[in-house]
Structure formats: structure tokens, C-alpha cells
Coordinates of all heavy atoms in Angstrom, one line a residue:
L1 N 0.8 -1.2 0.0 CA 0.0 0.0 0.0 C 0.9 1.3 0.0 O 1.8 1.4 0.8 CB -0.9 0.0 1.2 CG -2.0 -1.1 1.2 CD1 -2.8 -1.0 2.5 CD2 -2.9 -1.1 0.0
V2 N 0.5 2.2 -0.9 CA 1.1 3.4 -1.1 C 0.3 4.6 -0.7 O -0.9 4.6 -1.0 CB 1.6 3.6 -2.5 CG1 2.3 4.9 -2.7 CG2 2.5 2.5 -2.9
Y3 N 1.0 5.6 -0.1 CA 0.2 6.9 0.2 C 1.1 8.0 -0.1 O 2.3 8.1 0.5 CB -0.3 6.9 1.7 CG -1.1 8.2 2.0 CD1 -2.4 8.3 1.6 CD2 -0.6 9.3 2.6 CE1 -3.2 9.3 1.8 CE2 -1.3 10.4 2.9 CZ -2.6 10.4 2.5 OH -3.3 11.6 2.8
G4 N 0.8 8.8 -1.1 CA 1.6 9.9 -1.4 C 2.9 9.4 -2.2 O 2.8 8.6 -3.1
R5 N 4.0 9.7 -1.6 CA 5.3 9.2 -2.3 C 6.0 8.2 -1.3 O 7.2 8.0 -1.6 CB 6.2 10.5 -2.4 CG 6.7 11.2 -1.1 CD 7.4 12.5 -1.4 NE 8.5 12.3 -2.3 CZ 9.7 11.9 -1.9 NH1 9.9 11.6 -0.6 NH2 10.7 11.8 -2.7
D6 N 5.2 7.5 -0.5 CA 5.8 6.5 0.3 C 4.8 5.3 0.6 O 3.6 5.5 0.2 CB 6.4 7.1 1.7 CG 7.4 6.3 2.3 OD1 7.7 5.2 1.8 OD2 8.0 6.8 3.4
F7 N 5.4 4.3 1.2 CA 4.5 3.2 1.6 C 3.7 3.5 2.9 O 4.2 4.4 3.7 CB 5.3 2.0 1.7 CG 6.0 1.5 0.5 CD1 7.3 1.7 0.3 CD2 5.2 0.9 -0.5 CE1 8.0 1.2 -0.9 CE2 5.8 0.5 -1.7 CZ 7.2 0.7 -1.9
V8 N 2.7 2.8 3.1 CA 1.9 2.9 4.4 C 2.6 2.1 5.5 O 2.7 1.0 5.3 CB 0.4 2.5 4.2 CG1 -0.3 2.7 5.5 CG2 -0.2 3.3 3.1
S9 N 3.1 2.8 6.5 CA 3.8 2.1 7.5 C 2.9 1.2 8.4 O 1.7 1.6 8.7 CB 4.6 3.1 8.4 OG 5.6 3.7 7.6
A10 N 3.5 0.2 8.9 CA 2.9 -0.6 10.0 C 3.7 -0.6 11.2 O 5.0 -0.3 11.1 CB 2.7 -2.1 9.5
D11 N 3.2 -0.9 12.4 CA 3.9 -0.7 13.6 C 4.9 -1.8 13.8 O 6.1 -1.5 14.3 CB 2.9 -0.8 14.8 CG 2.0 0.4 14.8 OD1 2.4 1.5 14.4 OD2 0.9 0.2 15.3
K12 N 4.6 -3.1 13.5 CA 5.5 -4.2 13.7 C 5.1 -5.4 12.8 O 4.0 -5.4 12.2 CB 5.6 -4.6 15.1 CG 4.2 -5.0 15.6 CD 4.1 -5.3 17.1 CE 2.8 -5.6 17.6 NZ 2.8 -5.9 19.1
I13 N 6.1 -6.4 12.6 CA 5.7 -7.5 11.9 C 4.6 -8.3 12.6 O 4.6 -8.3 13.9 CB 6.9 -8.4 11.5 CG1 7.6 -8.9 12.8 CG2 7.9 -7.7 10.6 CD1 8.7 -10.0 12.5
S14 N 3.9 -9.1 11.9 CA 2.8 -9.8 12.6 C 3.2 -11.0 13.5 O 4.4 -11.4 13.4 CB 1.8 -10.3 11.5 OG 2.4 -11.4 10.8
A15 N 2.3 -11.4 14.2 CA 2.6 -12.7 15.1 C 2.9 -13.9 14.2 O 3.8 -14.6 14.5 CB 1.4 -13.0 15.9
N16 N 2.2 -14.0 13.1 CA 2.6 -15.1 12.1 C 4.0 -15.1 11.6 O 4.6 -16.1 11.6 CB 1.6 -15.1 11.0 CG 0.1 -15.6 11.3 OD1 0.0 -16.3 12.4 ND2 -0.9 -15.2 10.7
S17 N 4.3 -13.9 11.3 CA 5.7 -13.7 10.7 C 6.7 -13.9 11.7 O 7.7 -14.6 11.4 CB 5.9 -12.2 10.2 OG 7.1 -12.0 9.7
R18 N 6.5 -13.6 13.0 CA 7.5 -13.8 14.0 C 7.5 -15.3 14.3 O 8.6 -15.9 14.6 CB 7.1 -13.1 15.3 CG 7.2 -11.6 15.2 CD 7.2 -10.9 16.6 NE 5.9 -11.1 17.3 CZ 4.9 -10.2 17.1 NH1 5.0 -9.2 16.3 NH2 3.7 -10.5 17.7
L19 N 6.4 -16.0 14.3 CA 6.5 -17.5 14.5 C 7.3 -18.2 13.5 O 8.0 -19.1 13.8 CB 5.0 -18.0 14.6 CG 4.1 -17.7 15.8 CD1 2.7 -18.1 15.6 CD2 4.8 -18.4 17.0
I20 N 7.0 -17.8 12.2 CA 7.8 -18.5 11.1 C 9.3 -18.2 11.3 O 10.2 -19.1 11.1 CB 7.2 -17.9 9.8 CG1 5.8 -18.6 9.5 CG2 8.2 -18.4 8.6 CD1 5.1 -18.0 8.2
D21 N 9.6 -16.9 11.6 CA 11.0 -16.6 11.8 C 11.6 -17.5 12.9 O 12.7 -18.0 12.7 CB 11.1 -15.1 12.1 CG 12.5 -14.6 12.3 OD1 13.4 -15.3 11.7 OD2 12.7 -13.6 13.0
K22 N 10.9 -17.6 14.0 CA 11.5 -18.3 15.2 C 11.6 -19.8 14.8 O 12.6 -20.4 15.2 CB 10.5 -18.2 16.4 CG 10.6 -16.8 17.1 CD 9.7 -16.8 18.3 CE 9.7 -15.5 19.0 NZ 8.7 -15.4 20.1
T23 N 10.6 -20.3 14.1 CA 10.6 -21.7 13.8 C 11.8 -22.0 12.8 O 12.5 -23.0 13.0 CB 9.3 -22.1 13.1 OG1 8.2 -21.9 14.0 CG2 9.3 -23.6 12.7
M24 N 11.9 -21.3 11.7 CA 12.9 -21.5 10.8 C 14.3 -21.3 11.4 O 15.3 -22.2 11.1 CB 12.8 -20.6 9.5 CG 11.6 -20.9 8.7 SD 11.5 -22.6 8.1 CE 12.9 -22.7 7.1
M25 N 14.5 -20.3 12.2 CA 15.9 -20.0 12.8 C 16.3 -21.1 13.7 O 17.4 -21.6 13.8 CB 15.9 -18.6 13.4 CG 15.8 -17.5 12.5 SD 17.1 -17.5 11.3 CE 18.5 -17.1 12.3
K26 N 15.3 -21.6 14.6 CA 15.5 -22.7 15.4 C 15.8 -24.0 14.7 O 16.7 -24.7 15.1 CB 14.4 -22.9 16.5 CG 14.6 -23.9 17.6 CD 13.6 -23.9 18.6 CE 13.9 -24.9 19.8 NZ 12.9 -24.9 20.8
W27 N 15.1 -24.2 13.7 CA 15.2 -25.4 12.9 C 16.6 -25.4 12.3 O 17.4 -26.4 12.4 CB 14.2 -25.6 11.8 CG 14.3 -26.8 10.9 CD1 14.3 -28.1 11.3 CD2 14.3 -26.8 9.5 NE1 14.3 -28.9 10.3 CE2 14.3 -28.2 9.2 CE3 14.3 -25.9 8.5 CZ2 14.3 -28.6 7.8 CZ3 14.3 -26.2 7.2 CH2 14.3 -27.7 6.9
L28 N 17.0 -24.4 11.6 CA 18.3 -24.2 11.1 C 19.4 -24.4 12.1 O 20.5 -24.9 11.8 CB 18.5 -22.8 10.3 CG 17.6 -22.7 9.0 CD1 17.7 -21.4 8.5 CD2 18.1 -23.8 7.9
S29 N 19.2 -23.8 13.3 CA 20.3 -23.9 14.3 C 20.5 -25.4 14.8 O 21.6 -25.6 15.4 CB 19.8 -23.1 15.6 OG 18.8 -23.6 16.3
T30 N 19.6 -26.2 14.5 CA 19.7 -27.7 14.9 C 20.5 -28.5 13.8 O 20.8 -29.6 14.0 CB 18.5 -28.3 15.1 OG1 17.7 -28.5 14.0 CG2 17.7 -27.6 16.2
M31 N 20.7 -27.8 12.6 CA 21.4 -28.4 11.5 C 22.7 -27.9 11.1 O 23.0 -26.7 11.2 CB 20.5 -28.2 10.3 CG 19.1 -28.8 10.4 SD 17.9 -28.0 9.2 CE 18.5 -28.8 7.6

């Protein structure tokens, strides 16, 4: 989403995004 000459900002990444990040990083750390 764009407004004017920039994107529409969000406060933070979503809970789903954080869960995927944690899962993948922990999985990779075991390998």
C-alpha cells in the first residue's frame, strides 16, 4: 500500500511472521 510518495507504515511484523521466523531459525540452528 502506497500513500503519497511512500508506503503505508505498519507498527511491527505480525505474530505469524514472528512465529515463522522463530521456527525456521531454530530449525536451522539444529542443522
Side-chain angles (χ1 to χ4, degrees):
L1 296 179
V2 179
Y3 184 77
R5 63 189 305 277
D6 203 352
F7 297 104
V8 180
S9 294
D11 294 331
K12 57 185 179 181
I13 61 173
S14 70
N16 286 336
S17 183
R18 291 196 297 272
L19 284 173
I20 289 174
D21 181 27
K22 287 181 181 178
T23 300
M24 293 304 298
M25 292 303 292
K26 187 171 181 179
W27 182 54
L28 289 172
S29 71
T30 68
M31 300 163 66

